[in-house]
Amino acid sequence: MTYDRQVIAYKNYFLDFYEVQPENVQAKIEWTLNLIRVTRQIPEKYFKHLEGTKGLYEIRVEVGNNIFRIFSFFDKGNIVVLGNAFQKKTQKTPKQELEKALKIMEEYQNESKK
């Protein structure tokens, strides 16, 4: 099986969130990240570009009635970089989470230029 994409966590933004999740949520996150690694055309249900942003994506994980979102972006075409994550409680993505994701993406891009 060949992996089309590499998934990496940038700093501890995602890992801090992941580590406090129950086992069933971690398992579903792992399943979803693996889908992103190996699926050429990822269904929008799991991976969606956020409109109005330059290259910010949302990885979508559902466990029962709980919805989780992991912000991510691409590097070098096939590397998916994981930023912050949160549990979604309303229809709209919280503005502060979105702003944080954009800051993380900018920070990563600035660092990778060095």
Side-chain angles (χ1 to χ4, degrees):
M1 180 186 249
T2 59
Y3 288 113
D4 291 329
R5 291 179 203 88
Q6 193 182 346
V7 177
I8 61 170
Y10 176 55
K11 295 192 172 168
N12 278 345
Y13 298 112
F14 165 72
L15 296 172
D16 289 345
F17 170 81
Y18 176 83
E19 285 167 1
V20 299
Q21 299 309 314
E23 214 171 280
N24 64 329
V25 173
Q26 288 186 355
K28 186 68 186 267
I29 289 172
E30 289 296 327
W31 182 89
T32 307
L33 294 179
N34 198 48
L35 180 85
I36 289 165
R37 283 187 193 101
V38 300
T39 310
R40 201 169 291 283
Q41 283 291 82
I42 309 159
E44 218 175 65
K45 177 181 184 208
Y46 302 109
F47 192 69
K48 184 177 191 233
H49 179 256
L50 285 171
E51 286 180 27
T53 69
K54 281 196 172 119
L56 195 61
Y57 288 78
E58 184 176 67
I59 297 169
R60 311 165 123 197
V61 179
E62 280 184 49
V63 181
N65 291 333
N66 296 318
I67 299 172
F68 303 89
R69 296 289 187 255
I70 306 161
F71 286 116
S72 62
F73 48 91
F74 283 96
D75 186 18
K76 298 180 183 79
N78 68 337
I79 300 173
V80 178
V81 183
L82 305 177
N84 54 323
F86 64 98
Q87 183 171 352
K88 198 163 178 183
K89 299 195 189 315
T90 62
Q91 282 300 102
K92 270 182 85 67
T93 298
K95 196 166 189 252
Q96 77 241 29
E97 292 291 346
L98 184 59
E99 286 169 357
K100 183 176 175 184
L102 291 166
K103 281 194 183 94
I104 291 169
M105 183 166 72
E106 191 182 330
E107 183 184 342
Y108 178 87
Q109 289 165 342
N110 289 339
E111 276 185 22
S112 50
K113 281 179 192 155
K114 291 177 185 167

